[in-house]
Amino acid sequence: MNRLSTALALTLTATLSACGGGGSSSGTPAAPPAPAPAAAVVDLLPTVGDFYSYTRTDTLLVDQPGATTETQTWFYTGAISQVGGDGAWAERVLGEDPDRQFADLSYSPDGGLKTTDSGPCRLSYVPVLYESQKNLAPGTTWSSDVVQVAAGGCVVLTAGKLSATASALETITVRAGTFNTVKVVSTRTASYSNGYTSADETTEWRDVVTHRVIKYSNRSNQVSNTGLKAALTSTAELAGFASARQARSNFNIERFAGPWTGSYSGTYSGNCVGQVSRDGKLDADCGDGAFSVHGDIDASGKGNFYLTVNGVRGASFSGAFASPYTINGAWTAGAASGTWVLNHK
């Protein structure tokens, strides 16, 4: 993993709640503080199928002789996967880079982040982490002390403090559209079980209705367990979204970008592994290299694909995405037919 990816893995555990991550560690987290009283932060509950897709640019400068500045731009998407009867919800965060760990997040009914689960590592926030407040009137301030408790060997947050202020109401325009927002300025300090520490300064613009982040800018000053210093600056903005309760959306193709795996069944059956590009082109190898699938996906999630066997174009595919992380449809090849499904890794 390069320096930028390593720094991101640490920063993503403590910045946007839309990204979760972790790694191996033998460190033991400190005893968690007593839970803080609940503070409702959500005016508008999400609906299954809602999504928020971001474009993000990270620039890393390592403080050592000969170090060069590294910059990467990438997309990630958080899609609502479940909403409980009590209003609690789950969100799946996926992106285009297979080298980054993304996560399933769970939230309390009042909008507090409870857990992040990246597969090999499940982290619980104690107490529940409130990155926003229901009252975001200019002048509102709040703070939160939080640690993470891990199931399995993971890098965990052993001490973290968030202090934030809602400073102003602003109308901003990003790629996904124009939004009425609250500008929130915050600082965050964090210590991790592998010896890393970070101090962040963040400015966010949150939607006044959903409290979702529309745009943000962050600077993270980090120190490794060997004393190596680095500064990571990050900027992001909303590139596409859908909110059923608001009856408002702006679809973007990039929410499908990244690695996909799946299977086909019917007259024939097998597995597929593929990639979707930022402009919606799918290329996948299926049946252990016996054939390949190619096609195009539009911003609404509809796709038309074709099968190639020994260089000859054959069976047709059609389908539509049920969410940014699942697509399914039907295939035909002469008298043969069946169904297929792909899932975002």
Side-chain angles (χ1 to χ4, degrees):
M1 183 179 287
N2 62 30
R3 289 194 302 269
L4 181 54
S5 296
T6 301
L8 286 172
L10 292 172
T11 302
L12 290 177
T13 64
T15 54
L16 282 181
S17 62
C19 279
S24 62
S25 172
S26 58
T28 301
V41 301
V42 176
D43 280 324
L44 186 69
L45 288 174
T47 302
V48 173
D50 288 358
F51 72 86
Y52 296 85
S53 182
Y54 298 87
T55 175
R56 172 170 167 164
T57 298
D58 298 292
T59 301
L60 177 70
L61 177 61
V62 178
D63 185 13
Q64 66 178 13
T68 58
T69 300
E70 300 177 48
T71 298
Q72 293 181 5
T73 298
W74 47 291
F75 287 86
Y76 65 91
T77 299
I80 307 302
S81 56
Q82 182 178 359
V83 178
D86 62 351
W89 77 88
E91 183 170 332
R92 178 163 293 176
V93 182
L94 297 165
E96 63 177 330
D97 190 343
D99 294 329
R100 288 191 175 96
Q101 285 186 331
F102 294 91
D104 288 308
L105 314 180
S106 67
Y107 290 87
S108 60
D110 58 4
L113 179 60
K114 296 168 56 181
T115 65
T116 64
D117 188 346
S118 61
C121 185
R122 179 180 173 87
L123 300 174
S124 299
Y125 287 82
V126 181
V128 171
L129 176 60
Y130 293 101
E131 295 191 310
S132 181
Q133 296 287 288
K134 186 170 185 178
N135 177 15
L136 286 180
T140 301
T141 64
W142 70 95
S143 63
S144 178
D145 294 291
V146 66
V147 299
Q148 292 171 327
V149 177
C154 310
V155 173
V156 296
L157 180 70
T158 56
K161 183 176 182 64
L162 168 71
S163 298
T165 300
S167 63
L169 297 174
E170 295 185 5
T171 298
I172 65 170
T173 299
V174 295
R175 177 179 160 185
T178 299
F179 298 83
N180 295 321
T181 69
V182 181
K183 183 179 180 180
V184 178
V185 179
S186 64
T187 60
R188 189 187 312 237
T189 57
S191 299
Y192 296 92
S193 57
N194 61 356
Y196 273 73
T197 62
S198 66
D200 289 26
E201 297 178 356
T202 305
T203 301
E204 299 174 326
W205 288 262
R206 289 182 174 267
D207 182 78
V208 295
V209 176
T210 65
H211 295 179
R212 282 277 175 172
V213 173
I214 304 302
K215 179 180 177 180
Y216 86 96
S217 176
N218 172 266
R219 179 182 174 88
S220 179
N221 295 309
Q222 304 174 353
V223 181
S224 74
N225 53 0
T226 61
L228 181 65
K229 296 181 180 180
L232 178 68
T233 59
S234 304
T235 59
E237 68 173 48
L238 193 66
F241 76 102
S243 173
R245 294 185 188 276
Q246 288 183 295
R248 188 179 180 194
S249 62
N250 190 334
F251 296 132
N252 67 312
I253 295 178
E254 296 91 348
R255 71 186 187 275
F256 305 120
W260 291 75
T261 62
S263 62
Y264 59 97
S265 60
T267 309
Y268 308 107
S269 62
N271 297 316
C272 299
V273 178
Q275 187 83 15
V276 175
S277 66
R278 290 183 182 180
D279 59 357
K281 295 189 180 298
L282 169 67
D283 292 289
D285 291 321
C286 301
D288 296 324
F291 56 87
S292 59
V293 177
H294 311 275
D296 295 283
I297 302 160
D298 65 22
S300 69
K302 296 179 180 179
N304 292 295
F305 314 103
Y306 63 89
L307 187 69
T308 297
V309 181
N310 297 325
V312 178
R313 181 165 172 163
S316 63
F317 291 72
S318 63
F321 283 84
S323 73
Y325 50 83
T326 299
I327 184 173
N328 57 75
W331 66 268
T332 60
S337 63
T339 59
W340 59 278
V341 61
L342 291 173
N343 297 302
H344 200 311
K345 291 180 64 178

